[in-house]
Amino acid sequence: MNSRPTPFDDLDRKIITALMANARTSFAEIGAAVGLSSTAVKRRVDRLRETGVITGFTATVKPSALGWRTEAYVEVYCEGAAPPRRLAEVVRNHPEITAAMTVTGGADALLHVRARDVEHFEEVLERIRVEPFIRKTISVMVLSHLLPESPEAGASHAAPDGAADLR
């Protein structure tokens, strides 16, 4: 395996900035903005994808349009030292968990949870708490997004079956 860092220059940064602002921007538009041909931009994007700098392209959707009307962050406290891979196995089993990370401080992990409503959130929380190594959780409900254009304000995947049944 090659341990040398992948070459990454100012043009790559400009291309990535353009794609992060709008992943649908054409290579021709990006090329015009950064001073390259569309073919050169495509080659760079392909290289950035092959080397794992660009990991994918997604659509950001208004969560409520997908049935996600309740949002919370959940601190998870474990008995002993729960290995991160075990925590990862648990969170993968809950489609309502949209992000999860191990953290410093008192908690062992922080989960970003989206649910249809408060009752659905409570059910998700109960499913998380059933895990034998989870000692306690502390939840904080999101009231509003102060940066509505941030990725956290959007949804990256749809609600579970039936959640999008908007009454």
Side-chain angles (χ1 to χ4, degrees):
M1 181 165 223
N2 188 354
S3 62
R4 289 182 301 187
T6 302
F8 193 83
D9 61 20
D10 283 340
L11 286 173
D12 291 332
R13 285 189 206 323
K14 289 177 182 177
I15 291 168
I16 289 170
T17 299
L19 289 171
M20 287 174 66
N22 181 358
R24 293 180 54 123
T25 304
S26 72
F27 294 149
E29 291 171 305
I30 294 171
V34 302
L36 292 174
S37 70
S38 59
T39 305
V41 171
K42 182 188 181 322
R43 277 196 304 268
R44 283 176 176 259
V45 169
D46 288 346
R47 177 179 47 80
L48 292 166
R49 290 183 73 197
E50 288 168 8
T51 58
V53 173
I54 295 175
T55 59
F57 300 90
T58 62
T60 303
V61 179
K62 185 177 176 183
S64 62
L66 299 174
W68 300 119
R69 300 195 182 283
T70 299
E71 178 179 11
Y73 287 88
V74 179
E75 292 181 348
V76 175
Y77 297 80
C78 299
E79 290 293 341
R85 78 175 172 278
R86 179 64 184 114
L87 285 166
E89 289 171 13
V90 169
V91 299
R92 281 189 189 103
N93 292 328
H94 303 282
E96 300 89 352
I97 299 174
T98 62
M101 58 287 301
T102 55
V103 294
T104 62
D108 294 293
L110 183 65
L111 312 178
H112 184 201
V113 178
R114 292 194 187 268
R116 291 183 305 268
D117 50 34
V118 173
E119 291 79 16
H120 180 210
F121 172 72
E122 185 176 22
E123 182 254 314
V124 172
L125 200 54
E126 288 171 7
R127 281 191 276 132
I128 293 167
R129 289 176 175 162
V130 164
E131 295 298 326
F133 64 89
I134 294 181
R135 180 171 47 93
K136 75 174 185 175
T137 62
I138 297 176
S139 304
V140 179
M141 302 295 287
V142 174
L143 299 177
S144 64
H145 284 270
L146 301 177
L147 300 173
E149 64 284 347
S150 71
E152 291 77 15
S156 58
H157 60 274
D161 291 340
D165 295 336
L166 305 178
R167 293 175 193 113

